[in-house]
Structures are given as C-alpha cells and as structure tokens.
Amino acid sequence: MTTGLRPGGHPQDPRQSGNQPLPRQEGVGPGAPHVDNRTGSSVITARAAASFEPVGRSVATARSFVRDTLQGWGFADIVDDAVVLTSELVTNAVVHAGTAADVLCLRSDDGVRIDVADHYPEREIPLQSGTVNMGNPDREGGRGLQLCAALAARWGVEYTPTHKQVWFQLDLPERPVGTRAAGPSLPADLLPLADGRVRVAVVQIDRTGTIAAWNEDAEDLFGYAAEQVTGKPLTDLAAWPHTPGTGTGIAEALQLSRWEGSYGIRGADGRVIPVYASHLRVRDTGGEPSTVCLLVRDHERAVLQTPLRGPAADTSTAKDGQAPDPFEVFIGSPAPDDLDGLLQRTVERARDMLDGDAAFLLLATDDETELEVRASTGLPSARQRFARVPVEAGPGRYGSARMPAVHDDLAAVPGAVPLLTGTGMRSVVTVPLKVEGRLTGSLGVAAESPSRYSNEEALRLQFAADRIALAVESARLGELERLRRGSLSFLVEASDLLAGTLDRDQTLALMAQMTIPTLATWCAVYTIADQASEPYLSYVLHEDEERIDGLKALLSKIAPPEPIPTPGARIWTAPAEAAHRAALRTSMRSLGLGEPSTVSSGIGTTLATASAVGGETVVLPLVARNRVIGMLTLGKPTDEHFRQEILELAEDLSRRAALALDNARLYSERTAISQSLQRSLLPPELPQVDGVEVEVIYRAAGEGNEVGGDFYDLFPIRDGAYGFAIGDVCGTGPEAAAVTGLARHALRLLAREGFGGPAVLERLNSAILDEGARSRFLTLLYGELWPQEDGSAVLKVVCAGHPLPLRLRQDGTVEPAAEPQPLLGVMEDLELYEQTVTLDPGDVLLCVTDGVTERREGSRMLGDDGLAEVLTACTGLTAGAVAARIMRAVERFASDAPSDDMAILAMRVPGLPKD
C-alpha cells in the first residue's frame, strides 16, 4: 500500500492526467437525491490517498486507512459509515473486478468525499430511469451502490479510459453550537486526578522538525527555558516508544494532520517525564506548515484525550472494576485476513502487553510432536522462522509446551527454551494455545533481565492466548487449505511438464526449475548411472543466477550425499559447513592471517556463496523401480528453515521427478539401441559409378525412425557391373524394417553369387514366405547397371509390383522404363523376366516408392501423372537436382507431415566429356 497525506491546498486528482473523463453516470431515483460529483463550494483542506493491490487482505487495509484518516481529521461521527462504504467499493475493485483500488479522501469544512477507483472500465453501471431497482441485497455483488444510495449525502460514478471511479460524500451531522463532545455529570470522587494546577505545554515544531515555540508551562514541566531548546530538534528531547514494524516514529507523527498518544520528554534533570500529547498540523497565511504539540503529564491525559465514541465500556464484567486488558481490545478490532499478519500482530501485542523485549509464537504440527516458529519480534526472525522444536523438550511441566511455564533465569537452566539460546534473553513466560483441548501452538514473551515475570503475567498471557487460539487455528486451517490446493495445482502442472519430455537433460532442468523459488532458494540434482557408480552432480540452480557458478564449485568439492533409499527429506549439513569453512579461510587470508593461496575467487564471491547455502539443506532420494537413481537437494540461505508442508510437497515432487527421469533414461537407452540397429539396416556409403550420376533421398515416417518399410541399395556386383534396388515393404516401423534388412542383404548375396535379376527376386520371394506369420509382401524394383564406353549405360530391370521407373530424355519426354510384374511375398511360384533399357547421354532414370506417388491432400493425390509432370521440368538438371526437385514437389503438395516412408533414386548419364 502506498499512501500520501497533504493538509491544505487544492489537490489535483492524480488519475486525471492526460485523458478527459467520459460522460458521468450518477445515481438517480428516490434513493439518491442531490447526486453531485463535487463537494459543492466547500474548500478542500486536506487529502489522503492510498493504492491497494488486488488481494483479499487489501479490503481490511483499506478500512483501516479510511478509519485512521477520518479519526485523524476529527470526523469520528462519520467514520463507521465511511468504512462500510469503502469496504464494499474496495471489495468490488480488488475481488470482483480483480484490479488494484485507488482510494482518495478529501476533507472539506462540511464533510468528507471519498473516491474509490478501479482499473476495469468495461464494468459499466446501466442507465436507469423511473424507479430504481438495485437488485437483491443478499446477492454477492452490487451492494456498494445500494449502500451509497442509503448512507451517502451525494454519490456518483465517473469513467475515464483507464478507470472507473465511484465516489460518495458524507456530511458532518449538525451539533449544538459550541459542543463537540459531552459526558454525564460525575461525583467528585470519579473525576480524573490532577496534581494541583494543570500545566499544558504548548510546543510548536516547524517543517524541519525543530522547536520554534516553547511556552511557560513547558518550562515548568520540563525545566528548560525557551532559549535553551528553540532551534533544537524535538527528537533530542523525546523518548519515543518505537515498536519496529508496527509503530510510527516521531518524525512521521509530526507530519500527520493529527496525532494523539503517549511518549516521554527528557527533562533538564535527565529524567524521562511521561506525557500525553495531542499534535495538530497547521499552516500559516503564507502556506508554511508547522505542528502544534499540546503536552500534559501522562496521568492527566483526560485533559487532552479525545473521548471514545460509542457506549462506555461495561466495567462490571472486568476484573476488580478495571478496564479490559489491552490484548482483549486488540482482539475486538479487525484482525488481519492472512495468517502471517495475524500471528505477527499477536506477538507484537503480547510483547507490549507484558513490556517484554521479545515475543514468539509457534504452531504445532498435525501430530502435535513438534512446534514450528511462525512469528517473532525482538528475535532474529529470519534465522528462526520455520525452525522446529519438540513439544516435549524435557521432563516435568516446564519441559512441555502443553502447560504454562515461567523461567526466572535461563542462564541457570541452559537449553530450557531452545529458541532463545544465544539471544541474550534471561526470563521468559510461555503459554499453550489450545482449541477443544488440542494443542495448536505456543505463545511466549521474553525479557533480557532475569525474574521479570510471575504467575500473574502467565495468567494474563494465557487469557490472551485463549482469546486468540480459535482465530489462529481458523486462519491456519484456511492457510493449509489454500496451500493444499496450491500444492495440488503445482503437482498437476509439474506432472504435465515432466510427462511432456523424454529428454534426460531437459527433465533435469525442469526438475530444478520447478523447485526454484517455489520450494527452495537453490537446488542441486545428483544422478546415479548404475548401482556401481558414485552420485554425479548433474544440475545446479539458484534463484540468483550470479550464485550458480559459486554454488556449483562449492558442491563439486564436497562428497555427495549418501544414496539412501529411505523416503522423506533428511538434513544434509555438509554444504553449510563447507561454505562456512571456505568463508572463514577467505576472510583470514584477506586479513593476512591465513596461508597464502594462489587461487582465490575473491572474498565477495565466497561470502555470497556461504550466505546462499548457509541455511537448512535437505536431501530427497529419487527412487524409481526400486532403485535409487539420484538425489534432489534443496537449500535455504543463511539460517532459514523449511516448512513441513513444503518438505511434504517436495517429497511428492521427487517421486514424480524420479519416475520421469528414469523414463527419460530408458527412452534414451532404447532410442540409442534402436538407432544403432536401424543404421545397420541402411546401406553404407554409395559407391562411385564411373559415367553415371547417382543421388538418393530417403525419409522414414514416424518420430525417431531412421529406417522404415522403404529401402534402397546400390552395390558393385563385379567389375563394371552394379546392382541397384528400391523397394517397399508393406507397413512401417520395426516390423517392416526387419523385412527390409532381409531383402537388402539377400539381394547383395544372391547378385554376387552370379544369379540374374529374375532368379534373385524368385529366391528372395521364397525367403520372405519362409518367415511365416512375420512375412510381409514386398514391391521391388531391381536392376543391373553397365556403364558403356560411348557414354551411355545399359540397364536390365525387373519391376515386381513396384511403381514403374520413369525415363526422362533430353527432349523432355517422359516414359516408363519397365513393365509391371507380380509383387513378392504373396505367391510361391513366380515367373519373372527382365527388360533391357539403354540410357543415352543426358537421360535420367527416376525410381520412387509409393510414398511419393500416393502423397495426398484431401481427395487429391500426386499419382504417376503428377510425378511425370514434375519430372518433365527437370531436363538438363543433375541427378542431385532432379531428386531434390521431386522431394520439394512432394512436400509442397500437402501441408500435413508425410504418413508413409519415401525413397527417391535418381540416376543420370552425363555422357563423355568433350575434347
């Protein structure tokens, strides 16, 4: 929340800076008379502005802001109505509209105008005429305007391109002339006590905080003459009761339009005199601001203290007729919506109530065996937050958090309260927080001096703890529910991300990135290749990228954690200890006290690394398929601890990450095996054929496949003769690839044994049929190539059920180069024959599989005619250019990825070189 406060002047609305407001929509009907958009002719004398983030707790913060502002301006009579209206309008902005809310309070002579603006201009108010129908008052939204119509003197709605603003004005109630507040007549013995003549010190402070005026009563009260203090800062004399994080300093109090409360003034004799003060911020005719301070002795505060608005407290229910306990008053005020805010407010109030130096609050785990530090004040909270201590710390009632306990001197019983060890606290009182007899937490207040507390203070603190226990437990359960919902969402998202990859390195990176900074400040992943291998540091991540290198260097120098398969997180102290030693050595070397070192990363880097890993470090095993495959290490910076809920979430994540990492490992291993086997099915490098250009393009369908049902080959048979083949096994994938390997190796073997083309294919047909249920039919184009001395080439071709080879002549004509014959793997008795083709210089022979000709786009198919048309335009191109153009044409024919294997074999006879 950001706030600003300026008394006097004519403020300009910060929201109207560059865009003119759109036409205004105002409340109409009998419920909203005299709707206007300004405070009339009244002069604005002060303003206060604040912005609130779009979170639930902002509503309560906005209520407090408006309440404090109006009470400071002296408008206590309209505070309640203003708070109710502000609460509804801010709720509409931050909850329903989901945007930030800007609240502006304007003070005038006759009342207050409050503007609430959100950043959702599309949410318009419908124009109304006649009778106003505001809807059901019990529904979730829309009550803000109903309340404006009912409570405000004037109200309206304004629009700009970036804001929607709802405003209302509350007029001050009419009072009898000269009367602001009055009380009943009281007997003399009930009147406030004053020591003789009441002295009211009047001290004026200028805009720099120095004393500008000092009256005679101030001289009598504090012993200073006016000339002794004029020009000195008031802070030199004031003993201010500052509460870190909750109180307002004297410098801030002097800048407020009105302030009232207690502090002390150091007199001329050195004693601190408790006073009750009323500050009023004013400005002179020249516009110069100053603060007028009225001071009386603290026990005479009734002279200045503003009477409480509302009915008097019922003292009949208070013990011994005294006023209610201050902590009880706090419980009656609006408590923070979030658990951390409630706990922090509790410890601060508990400390102030018992005038302690520190206070702490611990919450019990679900099994009531441990207490977890959740809030503290006056202690190094960053070091203690989420630290865990046992409920039963020792024998006897003082060793159990289930009973109230008072320790007069902790120095006499070291370790009696582990949380306070090394903090300088000497005495402490602790009480349990219980709900329906079940321990839910522990509240304690400590002091630096011994024997500060007795059973009376324990009873007061227990009374306060009983009042707050139910609210704390309710907020804790709400937080747990939100955390569990968030954890479930986190695990679902993590599972989706981990399931979306089978790459080992990417899985390691995802595992670390999901933990930082959601679960920890830094993370390291160790992997174990096999049971005989040592853990290996595979990945390191820190929320500050500049710390990664130093962290990696530190972890690489220490032994990895033991790969223990026991589930759950276990503490690992080695990183923090190593970082501490390294920082100590570096510091000593920098002071010239240690041994000189030739290698040093600098004291800054070493100390930063030590701070980064100086907190709690836990190790979670990565167990998959009953084997530890690694460890997930999570760490916090110096002196920080993990929450139990975070460790449970990390354990769930580690189980999912371990399975994903093992799946990635198995996939990588099987992919490597598959690729190795597939590469063995492909022919080695194609031989160089003198006088013939040869080019092959091969595409296997399916992710990760290098070989499918299509295959090709070109190999030497004997001197001057080469065999070539292009075929297509029915189907794709590993089963088709198995027949591919059989066909390719059988062709080479049979051809080199001297069999002709028909004989080679007939024997291959028999071998395929011998495979039985694993057999698949095969289309195959097989031929033998003889380059000639005159630059031509002679081919003998057998086309067994395969797409016919196409011959491109130099004149651009395309014709089939063979006739179709039966395919292989179907009939036992085949009668095949070979055909002879002579390629003249410049001719091209194109052989393809049906993945090329059957390329589809909807109902269209490339087909033999489409392929011939593309080939016609390839006259004069090399074999490589012809194959590339055919493949481009196939890819462009359809937008979808190919679903069938494709192979292209192009052979061109360039002819003899010219002399």
Side-chain angles (χ1 to χ4, degrees), residues 761-779:
L761 268 61
E762 289 168 2
R763 284 165 173 75
L764 176 58
N765 180 63
S766 299
I768 294 174
L769 292 174
D770 289 342
E771 291 293 310
R774 295 182 299 175
S775 67
R776 291 171 175 264
F777 63 80
L778 166 69
T779 67

mmCIF file with all atom_site columns, all heavy atoms in Angstrom, residues 761-779:
data_model
loop_
_atom_site.group_PDB
_atom_site.id
_atom_site.type_symbol
_atom_site.label_atom_id
_atom_site.label_alt_id
_atom_site.label_comp_id
_atom_site.label_asym_id
_atom_site.label_entity_id
_atom_site.label_seq_id
_atom_site.pdbx_PDB_ins_code
_atom_site.Cartn_x
_atom_site.Cartn_y
_atom_site.Cartn_z
_atom_site.occupancy
_atom_site.B_iso_or_equiv
_atom_site.pdbx_formal_charge
_atom_site.auth_seq_id
_atom_site.auth_comp_id
_atom_site.auth_asym_id
_atom_site.auth_atom_id
_atom_site.pdbx_PDB_model_num
ATOM 1   N N   . LEU A 1 761 ? 15.151 -62.350 -57.532 1.00 0.00 ? 761 LEU A N   1
ATOM 2   C CA  . LEU A 1 761 ? 13.863 -62.000 -56.939 1.00 0.00 ? 761 LEU A CA  1
ATOM 3   C C   . LEU A 1 761 ? 13.037 -63.225 -56.589 1.00 0.00 ? 761 LEU A C   1
ATOM 4   O O   . LEU A 1 761 ? 12.302 -63.225 -55.587 1.00 0.00 ? 761 LEU A O   1
ATOM 5   C CB  . LEU A 1 761 ? 13.069 -61.097 -57.883 1.00 0.00 ? 761 LEU A CB  1
ATOM 6   C CG  . LEU A 1 761 ? 13.278 -59.581 -57.656 1.00 0.00 ? 761 LEU A CG  1
ATOM 7   C CD1 . LEU A 1 761 ? 14.751 -59.210 -57.869 1.00 0.00 ? 761 LEU A CD1 1
ATOM 8   C CD2 . LEU A 1 761 ? 12.393 -58.759 -58.598 1.00 0.00 ? 761 LEU A CD2 1
ATOM 9   N N   . GLU A 1 762 ? 13.153 -64.310 -57.404 1.00 0.00 ? 762 GLU A N   1
ATOM 10  C CA  . GLU A 1 762 ? 12.396 -65.521 -57.083 1.00 0.00 ? 762 GLU A CA  1
ATOM 11  C C   . GLU A 1 762 ? 12.894 -66.135 -55.782 1.00 0.00 ? 762 GLU A C   1
ATOM 12  O O   . GLU A 1 762 ? 12.103 -66.603 -54.942 1.00 0.00 ? 762 GLU A O   1
ATOM 13  C CB  . GLU A 1 762 ? 12.514 -66.518 -58.234 1.00 0.00 ? 762 GLU A CB  1
ATOM 14  C CG  . GLU A 1 762 ? 11.746 -66.086 -59.481 1.00 0.00 ? 762 GLU A CG  1
ATOM 15  C CD  . GLU A 1 762 ? 12.095 -66.930 -60.691 1.00 0.00 ? 762 GLU A CD  1
ATOM 16  O OE1 . GLU A 1 762 ? 12.911 -67.864 -60.541 1.00 0.00 ? 762 GLU A OE1 1
ATOM 17  O OE2 . GLU A 1 762 ? 11.563 -66.643 -61.778 1.00 0.00 ? 762 GLU A OE2 1
ATOM 18  N N   . ARG A 1 763 ? 14.209 -66.160 -55.574 1.00 0.00 ? 763 ARG A N   1
ATOM 19  C CA  . ARG A 1 763 ? 14.750 -66.704 -54.323 1.00 0.00 ? 763 ARG A CA  1
ATOM 20  C C   . ARG A 1 763 ? 14.414 -65.804 -53.130 1.00 0.00 ? 763 ARG A C   1
ATOM 21  O O   . ARG A 1 763 ? 14.168 -66.291 -52.023 1.00 0.00 ? 763 ARG A O   1
ATOM 22  C CB  . ARG A 1 763 ? 16.264 -66.895 -54.466 1.00 0.00 ? 763 ARG A CB  1
ATOM 23  C CG  . ARG A 1 763 ? 16.600 -68.126 -55.323 1.00 0.00 ? 763 ARG A CG  1
ATOM 24  C CD  . ARG A 1 763 ? 18.048 -68.112 -55.779 1.00 0.00 ? 763 ARG A CD  1
ATOM 25  N NE  . ARG A 1 763 ? 18.379 -69.365 -56.452 1.00 0.00 ? 763 ARG A NE  1
ATOM 26  C CZ  . ARG A 1 763 ? 17.983 -69.675 -57.689 1.00 0.00 ? 763 ARG A CZ  1
ATOM 27  N NH1 . ARG A 1 763 ? 17.229 -68.836 -58.383 1.00 0.00 ? 763 ARG A NH1 1
ATOM 28  N NH2 . ARG A 1 763 ? 18.348 -70.835 -58.226 1.00 0.00 ? 763 ARG A NH2 1
ATOM 29  N N   . LEU A 1 764 ? 14.431 -64.477 -53.349 1.00 0.00 ? 764 LEU A N   1
ATOM 30  C CA  . LEU A 1 764 ? 14.032 -63.571 -52.271 1.00 0.00 ? 764 LEU A CA  1
ATOM 31  C C   . LEU A 1 764 ? 12.568 -63.795 -51.912 1.00 0.00 ? 764 LEU A C   1
ATOM 32  O O   . LEU A 1 764 ? 12.197 -63.759 -50.728 1.00 0.00 ? 764 LEU A O   1
ATOM 33  C CB  . LEU A 1 764 ? 14.255 -62.117 -52.705 1.00 0.00 ? 764 LEU A CB  1
ATOM 34  C CG  . LEU A 1 764 ? 13.791 -61.042 -51.727 1.00 0.00 ? 764 LEU A CG  1
ATOM 35  C CD1 . LEU A 1 764 ? 14.483 -61.187 -50.369 1.00 0.00 ? 764 LEU A CD1 1
ATOM 36  C CD2 . LEU A 1 764 ? 14.039 -59.643 -52.302 1.00 0.00 ? 764 LEU A CD2 1
ATOM 37  N N   . ASN A 1 765 ? 11.723 -64.051 -52.894 1.00 0.00 ? 765 ASN A N   1
ATOM 38  C CA  . ASN A 1 765 ? 10.308 -64.332 -52.639 1.00 0.00 ? 765 ASN A CA  1
ATOM 39  C C   . ASN A 1 765 ? 10.145 -65.551 -51.734 1.00 0.00 ? 765 ASN A C   1
ATOM 40  O O   . ASN A 1 765 ? 9.335  -65.560 -50.808 1.00 0.00 ? 765 ASN A O   1
ATOM 41  C CB  . ASN A 1 765 ? 9.593  -64.533 -53.976 1.00 0.00 ? 765 ASN A CB  1
ATOM 42  C CG  . ASN A 1 765 ? 8.111  -64.823 -53.798 1.00 0.00 ? 765 ASN A CG  1
ATOM 43  O OD1 . ASN A 1 765 ? 7.372  -63.997 -53.291 1.00 0.00 ? 765 ASN A OD1 1
ATOM 44  N ND2 . ASN A 1 765 ? 7.687  -66.030 -54.171 1.00 0.00 ? 765 ASN A ND2 1
ATOM 45  N N   . SER A 1 766 ? 10.933 -66.584 -51.999 1.00 0.00 ? 766 SER A N   1
ATOM 46  C CA  . SER A 1 766 ? 10.883 -67.797 -51.165 1.00 0.00 ? 766 SER A CA  1
ATOM 47  C C   . SER A 1 766 ? 11.327 -67.497 -49.730 1.00 0.00 ? 766 SER A C   1
ATOM 48  O O   . SER A 1 766 ? 10.740 -67.991 -48.760 1.00 0.00 ? 766 SER A O   1
ATOM 49  C CB  . SER A 1 766 ? 11.755 -68.898 -51.775 1.00 0.00 ? 766 SER A CB  1
ATOM 50  O OG  . SER A 1 766 ? 11.299 -69.239 -53.068 1.00 0.00 ? 766 SER A OG  1
ATOM 51  N N   . ALA A 1 767 ? 12.388 -66.686 -49.594 1.00 0.00 ? 767 ALA A N   1
ATOM 52  C CA  . ALA A 1 767 ? 12.883 -66.354 -48.255 1.00 0.00 ? 767 ALA A CA  1
ATOM 53  C C   . ALA A 1 767 ? 11.836 -65.575 -47.456 1.00 0.00 ? 767 ALA A C   1
ATOM 54  O O   . ALA A 1 767 ? 11.668 -65.786 -46.250 1.00 0.00 ? 767 ALA A O   1
ATOM 55  C CB  . ALA A 1 767 ? 14.177 -65.551 -48.364 1.00 0.00 ? 767 ALA A CB  1
ATOM 56  N N   . ILE A 1 768 ? 11.094 -64.681 -48.123 1.00 0.00 ? 768 ILE A N   1
ATOM 57  C CA  . ILE A 1 768 ? 10.062 -63.905 -47.431 1.00 0.00 ? 768 ILE A CA  1
ATOM 58  C C   . ILE A 1 768 ? 8.929  -64.817 -46.983 1.00 0.00 ? 768 ILE A C   1
ATOM 59  O O   . ILE A 1 768 ? 8.420  -64.720 -45.855 1.00 0.00 ? 768 ILE A O   1
ATOM 60  C CB  . ILE A 1 768 ? 9.536  -62.779 -48.341 1.00 0.00 ? 768 ILE A CB  1
ATOM 61  C CG1 . ILE A 1 768 ? 10.644 -61.753 -48.598 1.00 0.00 ? 768 ILE A CG1 1
ATOM 62  C CG2 . ILE A 1 768 ? 8.326  -62.096 -47.726 1.00 0.00 ? 768 ILE A CG2 1
ATOM 63  C CD1 . ILE A 1 768 ? 10.271 -60.688 -49.607 1.00 0.00 ? 768 ILE A CD1 1
ATOM 64  N N   . LEU A 1 769 ? 8.501  -65.730 -47.862 1.00 0.00 ? 769 LEU A N   1
ATOM 65  C CA  . LEU A 1 769 ? 7.417  -66.644 -47.496 1.00 0.00 ? 769 LEU A CA  1
ATOM 66  C C   . LEU A 1 769 ? 7.825  -67.566 -46.361 1.00 0.00 ? 769 LEU A C   1
ATOM 67  O O   . LEU A 1 769 ? 6.977  -68.002 -45.561 1.00 0.00 ? 769 LEU A O   1
ATOM 68  C CB  . LEU A 1 769 ? 6.990  -67.460 -48.716 1.00 0.00 ? 769 LEU A CB  1
ATOM 69  C CG  . LEU A 1 769 ? 6.293  -66.652 -49.837 1.00 0.00 ? 769 LEU A CG  1
ATOM 70  C CD1 . LEU A 1 769 ? 6.054  -67.545 -51.051 1.00 0.00 ? 769 LEU A CD1 1
ATOM 71  C CD2 . LEU A 1 769 ? 4.988  -66.059 -49.337 1.00 0.00 ? 769 LEU A CD2 1
ATOM 72  N N   . ASP A 1 770 ? 9.109  -67.892 -46.260 1.00 0.00 ? 770 ASP A N   1
ATOM 73  C CA  . ASP A 1 770 ? 9.590  -68.755 -45.171 1.00 0.00 ? 770 ASP A CA  1
ATOM 74  C C   . ASP A 1 770 ? 9.453  -68.089 -43.802 1.00 0.00 ? 770 ASP A C   1
ATOM 75  O O   . ASP A 1 770 ? 9.523  -68.767 -42.774 1.00 0.00 ? 770 ASP A O   1
ATOM 76  C CB  . ASP A 1 770 ? 11.055 -69.133 -45.410 1.00 0.00 ? 770 ASP A CB  1
ATOM 77  C CG  . ASP A 1 770 ? 11.204 -70.121 -46.570 1.00 0.00 ? 770 ASP A CG  1
ATOM 78  O OD1 . ASP A 1 770 ? 10.191 -70.746 -46.940 1.00 0.00 ? 770 ASP A OD1 1
ATOM 79  O OD2 . ASP A 1 770 ? 12.326 -70.255 -47.091 1.00 0.00 ? 770 ASP A OD2 1
ATOM 80  N N   . GLU A 1 771 ? 9.279  -66.775 -43.761 1.00 0.00 ? 771 GLU A N   1
ATOM 81  C CA  . GLU A 1 771 ? 9.130  -66.065 -42.484 1.00 0.00 ? 771 GLU A CA  1
ATOM 82  C C   . GLU A 1 771 ? 7.796  -66.370 -41.811 1.00 0.00 ? 771 GLU A C   1
ATOM 83  O O   . GLU A 1 771 ? 7.588  -66.035 -40.648 1.00 0.00 ? 771 GLU A O   1
ATOM 84  C CB  . GLU A 1 771 ? 9.265  -64.554 -42.697 1.00 0.00 ? 771 GLU A CB  1
ATOM 85  C CG  . GLU A 1 771 ? 10.665 -64.102 -43.064 1.00 0.00 ? 771 GLU A CG  1
ATOM 86  C CD  . GLU A 1 771 ? 11.636 -64.290 -41.924 1.00 0.00 ? 771 GLU A CD  1
ATOM 87  O OE1 . GLU A 1 771 ? 11.336 -63.859 -40.790 1.00 0.00 ? 771 GLU A OE1 1
ATOM 88  O OE2 . GLU A 1 771 ? 12.687 -64.913 -42.143 1.00 0.00 ? 771 GLU A OE2 1
ATOM 89  N N   . GLY A 1 772 ? 6.857  -66.983 -42.527 1.00 0.00 ? 772 GLY A N   1
ATOM 90  C CA  . GLY A 1 772 ? 5.571  -67.365 -41.946 1.00 0.00 ? 772 GLY A CA  1
ATOM 91  C C   . GLY A 1 772 ? 4.739  -66.160 -41.575 1.00 0.00 ? 772 GLY A C   1
ATOM 92  O O   . GLY A 1 772 ? 4.503  -65.263 -42.388 1.00 0.00 ? 772 GLY A O   1
ATOM 93  N N   . ALA A 1 773 ? 4.284  -66.141 -40.276 1.00 0.00 ? 773 ALA A N   1
ATOM 94  C CA  . ALA A 1 773 ? 3.400  -65.074 -39.835 1.00 0.00 ? 773 ALA A CA  1
ATOM 95  C C   . ALA A 1 773 ? 4.095  -63.717 -39.864 1.00 0.00 ? 773 ALA A C   1
ATOM 96  O O   . ALA A 1 773 ? 3.441  -62.672 -39.910 1.00 0.00 ? 773 ALA A O   1
ATOM 97  C CB  . ALA A 1 773 ? 2.896  -65.368 -38.424 1.00 0.00 ? 773 ALA A CB  1
ATOM 98  N N   . ARG A 1 774 ? 5.413  -63.704 -39.829 1.00 0.00 ? 774 ARG A N   1
ATOM 99  C CA  . ARG A 1 774 ? 6.137  -62.432 -39.843 1.00 0.00 ? 774 ARG A CA  1
ATOM 100 C C   . ARG A 1 774 ? 6.373  -61.918 -41.254 1.00 0.00 ? 774 ARG A C   1
ATOM 101 O O   . ARG A 1 774 ? 6.908  -60.839 -41.444 1.00 0.00 ? 774 ARG A O   1
ATOM 102 C CB  . ARG A 1 774 ? 7.494  -62.597 -39.148 1.00 0.00 ? 774 ARG A CB  1
ATOM 103 C CG  . ARG A 1 774 ? 7.376  -62.913 -37.676 1.00 0.00 ? 774 ARG A CG  1
ATOM 104 C CD  . ARG A 1 774 ? 8.731  -63.019 -37.032 1.00 0.00 ? 774 ARG A CD  1
ATOM 105 N NE  . ARG A 1 774 ? 9.526  -64.102 -37.642 1.00 0.00 ? 774 ARG A NE  1
ATOM 106 C CZ  . ARG A 1 774 ? 10.798 -64.349 -37.325 1.00 0.00 ? 774 ARG A CZ  1
ATOM 107 N NH1 . ARG A 1 774 ? 11.413 -63.589 -36.440 1.00 0.00 ? 774 ARG A NH1 1
ATOM 108 N NH2 . ARG A 1 774 ? 11.451 -65.348 -37.907 1.00 0.00 ? 774 ARG A NH2 1
ATOM 109 N N   . SER A 1 775 ? 5.991  -62.713 -42.256 1.00 0.00 ? 775 SER A N   1
ATOM 110 C CA  . SER A 1 775 ? 6.245  -62.308 -43.637 1.00 0.00 ? 775 SER A CA  1
ATOM 111 C C   . SER A 1 775 ? 5.329  -61.153 -44.022 1.00 0.00 ? 775 SER A C   1
ATOM 112 O O   . SER A 1 775 ? 4.226  -61.017 -43.508 1.00 0.00 ? 775 SER A O   1
ATOM 113 C CB  . SER A 1 775 ? 6.019  -63.490 -44.578 1.00 0.00 ? 775 SER A CB  1
ATOM 114 O OG  . SER A 1 775 ? 4.652  -63.851 -44.591 1.00 0.00 ? 775 SER A OG  1
ATOM 115 N N   . ARG A 1 776 ? 5.815  -60.322 -44.932 1.00 0.00 ? 776 ARG A N   1
ATOM 116 C CA  . ARG A 1 776 ? 5.056  -59.194 -45.449 1.00 0.00 ? 776 ARG A CA  1
ATOM 117 C C   . ARG A 1 776 ? 5.329  -59.100 -46.944 1.00 0.00 ? 776 ARG A C   1
ATOM 118 O O   . ARG A 1 776 ? 6.451  -59.364 -47.391 1.00 0.00 ? 776 ARG A O   1
ATOM 119 C CB  . ARG A 1 776 ? 5.474  -57.892 -44.766 1.00 0.00 ? 776 ARG A CB  1
ATOM 120 C CG  . ARG A 1 776 ? 5.061  -57.815 -43.306 1.00 0.00 ? 776 ARG A CG  1
ATOM 121 C CD  . ARG A 1 776 ? 5.678  -56.613 -42.618 1.00 0.00 ? 776 ARG A CD  1
ATOM 122 N NE  . ARG A 1 776 ? 5.186  -56.495 -41.252 1.00 0.00 ? 776 ARG A NE  1
ATOM 123 C CZ  . ARG A 1 776 ? 4.182  -55.730 -40.874 1.00 0.00 ? 776 ARG A CZ  1
ATOM 124 N NH1 . ARG A 1 776 ? 3.545  -55.007 -41.781 1.00 0.00 ? 776 ARG A NH1 1
ATOM 125 N NH2 . ARG A 1 776 ? 3.799  -55.685 -39.632 1.00 0.00 ? 776 ARG A NH2 1
ATOM 126 N N   . PHE A 1 777 ? 4.305  -58.731 -47.694 1.00 0.00 ? 777 PHE A N   1
ATOM 127 C CA  . PHE A 1 777 ? 4.552  -58.632 -49.129 1.00 0.00 ? 777 PHE A CA  1
ATOM 128 C C   . PHE A 1 777 ? 5.410  -57.418 -49.423 1.00 0.00 ? 777 PHE A C   1
ATOM 129 O O   . PHE A 1 777 ? 5.451  -56.445 -48.675 1.00 0.00 ? 777 PHE A O   1
ATOM 130 C CB  . PHE A 1 777 ? 3.247  -58.634 -49.931 1.00 0.00 ? 777 PHE A CB  1
ATOM 131 C CG  . PHE A 1 777 ? 2.342  -57.481 -49.675 1.00 0.00 ? 777 PHE A CG  1
ATOM 132 C CD1 . PHE A 1 777 ? 2.579  -56.239 -50.272 1.00 0.00 ? 777 PHE A CD1 1
ATOM 133 C CD2 . PHE A 1 777 ? 1.230  -57.608 -48.864 1.00 0.00 ? 777 PHE A CD2 1
ATOM 134 C CE1 . PHE A 1 777 ? 1.737  -55.181 -50.055 1.00 0.00 ? 777 PHE A CE1 1
ATOM 135 C CE2 . PHE A 1 777 ? 0.383  -56.553 -48.651 1.00 0.00 ? 777 PHE A CE2 1
ATOM 136 C CZ  . PHE A 1 777 ? 0.633  -55.329 -49.237 1.00 0.00 ? 777 PHE A CZ  1
ATOM 137 N N   . LEU A 1 778 ? 6.109  -57.505 -50.574 1.00 0.00 ? 778 LEU A N   1
ATOM 138 C CA  . LEU A 1 778 ? 7.154  -56.551 -50.898 1.00 0.00 ? 778 LEU A CA  1
ATOM 139 C C   . LEU A 1 778 ? 7.067  -56.192 -52.370 1.00 0.00 ? 778 LEU A C   1
ATOM 140 O O   . LEU A 1 778 ? 6.974  -57.071 -53.237 1.00 0.00 ? 778 LEU A O   1
ATOM 141 C CB  . LEU A 1 778 ? 8.531  -57.164 -50.575 1.00 0.00 ? 778 LEU A CB  1
ATOM 142 C CG  . LEU A 1 778 ? 9.768  -56.482 -51.120 1.00 0.00 ? 778 LEU A CG  1
ATOM 143 C CD1 . LEU A 1 778 ? 9.979  -55.141 -50.437 1.00 0.00 ? 778 LEU A CD1 1
ATOM 144 C CD2 . LEU A 1 778 ? 11.007 -57.370 -50.900 1.00 0.00 ? 778 LEU A CD2 1
ATOM 145 N N   . THR A 1 779 ? 7.067  -54.880 -52.640 1.00 0.00 ? 779 THR A N   1
ATOM 146 C CA  . THR A 1 779 ? 7.226  -54.429 -54.023 1.00 0.00 ? 779 THR A CA  1
ATOM 147 C C   . THR A 1 779 ? 8.684  -54.055 -54.210 1.00 0.00 ? 779 THR A C   1
ATOM 148 O O   . THR A 1 779 ? 9.290  -53.438 -53.324 1.00 0.00 ? 779 THR A O   1
ATOM 149 C CB  . THR A 1 779 ? 6.330  -53.223 -54.320 1.00 0.00 ? 779 THR A CB  1
ATOM 150 O OG1 . THR A 1 779 ? 6.786  -52.100 -53.573 1.00 0.00 ? 779 THR A OG1 1
ATOM 151 C CG2 . THR A 1 779 ? 4.880  -53.524 -53.973 1.00 0.00 ? 779 THR A CG2 1
#
